[in-house]
Amino acid sequence: MTKYTVPRGTRDILPAEVALWQFVEQKAREIFRLYNFREIRTPIFEHTELFLRGIGENTDIISKEMYNFQDRKGRSLTLRPEGTASVVRAYLESNLHKQEALSKLWYQGPMFRYERPQAGRYRQFHQMGCEVLGAVSAYQDTEVIALAQHFFETIGLRGLEVHINSVGCPICRPVIKERLKSFLGDNLNNLCEDCRKRFETNPLRILDCKNPECNEFFVMLPDISDVLCAECKEHYHDVQNYLNIMRIKYMVNPRLVRGLDYYTKTVFEVISSHLGAQNAVCGGGRYDNLIQELGGPSIPAVGFAFGLERAVLIMQNQKVTVPGRTPYLLLLPLGENAGNRAAIFANKLRRKNIPLEIDISGRGLSAKLKTANKLGVRYVYILGEDELVDKCGQLKDMRDGRQKKIRFDKFLAEMEKKYKKDNRS
Ligand code: AMP
């Protein structure tokens, strides 16, 4: 054991796993581009006030999970627990809303929540997400759901479910809460301690409780979709209609609510059975009032974020493999003079964008060939002292084991030709 360990709830991502992360990040970037989203980068910390205002004081995130600190001038700052509030702040601060009617933005980066760590739940985790600001149509709710589904398909995940619900708006939400409270009020003793607290502060969140005893009791809950106002009902209907015509599979889940207060109307999650208790890999929804709440005009919006740790965890569980990042060539010089020659080749070939490694150690040929196998390279070029005299080396094809002499003056052009051919197919 080393003396120093990572802080609880954080983790190192080692090179073997980074290959999966890079694949996920690259595919997400490609999909965002396909749906015409542009990237935005915001700071990792913000004024605490932004999150208090944006996320809602009675949420778990605000009441017990924030990483707050004071800077040297006594300002209260917070490590961001999520991305949407920052994106909206930046959008308003830079007056993007005055320049375009529709802004489609995506972001990525670490987020921080002081949660109880468990599989798939960390205190520092990573999200990629997107926001459609100026989302006037129910089509836009569907477009982000379509994007999420398209993305998870592209990275090879199987068996995911899209769950949708509507949590209403400031007009019908109080009615929904009352309906829930009048039902739950008589049954408070059947609920866990957390739920009893939420009954006063945030009754909708009770629906989200993972406690098995509460769950047993919830099957009797009234359906909240009956009490949506006419506008929310119509919107919910339109979202489902678009989902149907776009042939996107989904499940209506009347118990789906989210941990952030800013959502209105549509909420959705992408769920995997490969994640254990923390089964959501992606969550989002519409937030028609947040922009105004943060000091801007009334502009409707919709977005989502997915967690990279959870996406990668599912890939590992489902044994999804990604293209490797092995060097194409390994240069194997034997002896000092050969080492000099190999160093010159390495320098020139890397400038031709051919990924390679050079084994400059004093080990013998058979040990060096073992490294070549381990690395999984396509070719090995052996430069022995004898071969230096003839000004040629042996090029070994690691797929079929065949070896042929290649003269030094032909080697660079030959490698370039082979690399181009292999990367075209
Ligand atoms: P949220 O921002 O709570 O809507 O979460 C969106 C997604 O971020 C979730 O579906 C998870 O994939 C991921 N996520 C949220 N909290 C955590 C956490 N503590 N650890 C790891 N991933 C998380």
Side-chain angles (χ1 to χ4, degrees), residues 161-172:
E161 283 174 10
V162 175
H163 288 202
I164 65 165
N165 192 20
S166 174
V167 291
C169 67
I171 295 169
C172 51

Side-chain angles (χ1 to χ4, degrees), residues 61 81-82 113 115 120-127 258-260 262-263 269-270 280-284 305-311:
I61 296 181
E82 59 103 53
R113 295 182 196 170
E115 294 195 84
R121 187 159 78 185
Y122 301 96
R123 289 180 176 170
Q124 176 179 322
F125 59 97
H126 298 78
Q127 285 184 338
R258 316 255 24 261
L260 303 109
Y262 51 63
Y263 288 114
E269 274 184 354
V270 181
V281 61
C282 171
F306 74 89
L308 278 117
E309 282 80 1
R310 292 188 195 174

Side-chain angles (χ1 to χ4, degrees), residues 197-208:
K197 267 190 221 146
R198 288 183 190 129
F199 182 78
E200 293 305 332
T201 55
N202 201 350
L204 263 185
R205 284 294 287 174
I206 293 183
L207 297 181
D208 197 31

